[in-house]
Amino acid sequence: MTIRRTLIAANWKMNGDIALLDSMLSVIDSEGVISDTVEALICPSFTLLGAFDKQSNVCLGAQNVSQHDSGAYTGEISIEMLKQAACEYVIVGHSERREIYAETDQIVAEKFVQIARAGLKPVLCLGESLEQRESNFTEKVLAQQIAAVIDASDVNDWAHAVIAYEPIWAIGTGKTATPEMAQETHAFIRENLRSHSKTHDIAETMRILYGGSMKPDNAVDLLSQADIDGGLVGGASLDPNSFISILKAAS
Ligand code: 13P
């Protein structure tokens, strides 16, 4: 039997401040919700990375990184900068980056490799639109998103990766995939990873998070599914009480 340590990750997007960061860390650390089986991660804005208390048991992550090493890329942040800021994880391929900032599968793949080769852990986001789901294209879209990263990477790049399945139609909408629907899709993703030689060996241990309106009242049902190994939480991660409830649901 493999043990996949549940990962509850907060994606603050363009929200949050130092006060929220401080109260979130102190609540999580004092509640004792982090254990051998549950890990907590906060991905705040870049400006908050330096304010993160390194003594905390919570992990630190970034929401984005440049695919380039350094140079004339105004407004971008490099993987070395994130490493120096003590980031452990980096979210890559979020649908908001893909849609609003036109990040292609190719760019996402380059960023994934950049993160992995710097020794950080990529949180690779995948997900279909409502139109794609309704046209029965979900599996095709997810397989393509995975294949683009597999083509650009080596076996070793996957060693510490995490996947987040985030159906676009469930993000920030209050609509959630039903636990059964999410489980079916997560199982498909794991099976797809098993089918590629580069990810075959890590498919079983790969953590696949669900993201899309995860809240205290649906977290237990989602997290009890066999192939759901955590959550990537947006809105509900901005309130310490809600985020703690989700962490408790994981334990
Ligand atoms: P919500 O939890 O607000 O739906 O956001 C999900 C998400 O996009 C996390 O990355």
Side-chain angles (χ1 to χ4, degrees):
M1 200 182 98
T2 62
I3 296 179
R4 298 186 291 260
R5 191 180 180 206
T6 303
L7 175 61
I8 303 296
N11 175 10
W12 280 5
K13 309 189 179 183
M14 201 170 71
N15 300 293
D17 56 15
I18 291 183
L20 179 64
L21 185 61
D22 287 347
S23 65
M24 191 64 90
L25 292 184
S26 69
V27 173
I28 297 174
D29 283 323
S30 68
E31 290 274 349
V33 283
I34 296 175
S35 66
D36 289 350
T37 54
V38 180
E39 183 176 8
L41 165 66
I42 296 183
C43 303
S45 66
F46 291 139
T47 56
L48 291 176
L49 297 177
F52 192 91
D53 177 2
K54 308 293 184 300
Q55 303 305 313
S56 170
N57 289 314
V58 180
C59 300
L60 177 63
Q63 299 174 20
N64 186 26
V65 67
S66 170
Q67 67 271 42
H68 305 291
D69 290 336
S70 63
Y73 301 103
T74 302
E76 290 291 286
I77 194 152
S78 75
I79 195 66
E80 273 308 315
M81 293 168 186
L82 295 181
K83 209 170 167 177
Q84 284 188 17
C87 280
E88 185 176 341
Y89 288 88
V90 185
I91 296 172
V92 58
H94 193 282
S95 59
E96 287 151 17
R97 299 296 318 174
R98 292 179 190 260
E99 288 194 333
I100 308 171
Y101 300 99
E103 287 189 12
T104 59
D105 281 348
Q106 183 55 37
I107 293 173
V108 171
E110 287 172 23
K111 291 185 174 194
F112 178 96
V113 169
Q114 190 78 338
I115 299 162
R117 296 198 184 157
L120 280 74
K121 301 171 180 170
V123 180
L124 172 64
C125 300
L126 313 171
E128 80 288 0
S129 66
L130 184 59
E131 195 186 355
Q132 289 164 337
R133 176 157 284 266
E134 286 177 343
S135 322
N136 276 327
F137 284 155
T138 300
E139 294 189 352
K140 186 165 176 242
V141 169
L142 299 176
Q144 267 172 7
Q145 291 172 342
I146 294 169
V149 180
I150 287 186
D151 286 349
S153 61
D154 292 337
V155 176
N156 293 341
D157 298 330
W158 289 88
H160 302 291
V162 173
I163 284 182
Y165 168 59
E166 300 207 311
I168 297 170
W169 47 271
I171 295 177
T173 57
K175 282 187 203 162
T176 328
T178 62
E180 297 72 24
M181 192 193 280
Q183 164 56 28
E184 190 183 313
T185 310
H186 281 228
F188 167 78
I189 292 170
R190 199 178 304 287
E191 202 45 51
N192 186 273
L193 293 171
R194 225 176 250 126
S195 74
H196 292 279
S197 59
K198 287 181 191 170
T199 47
H200 179 270
D201 290 349
I202 49 85
E204 195 56 33
T205 50
M206 170 69 73
R207 289 179 294 177
I208 306 177
L209 316 183
Y210 170 80
S213 299
M214 184 180 268
K215 304 264 185 290
D217 62 2
N218 59 27
V220 171
D221 286 345
L222 285 163
L223 294 170
S224 61
Q225 301 298 315
D227 289 290
I228 300 185
D229 310 309
L232 183 55
V233 188
S237 74
L238 294 167
D239 170 30
N241 291 329
S242 300
F243 196 58
I244 276 289
S245 298
I246 295 174
L247 275 160
K248 285 183 177 164
S251 25

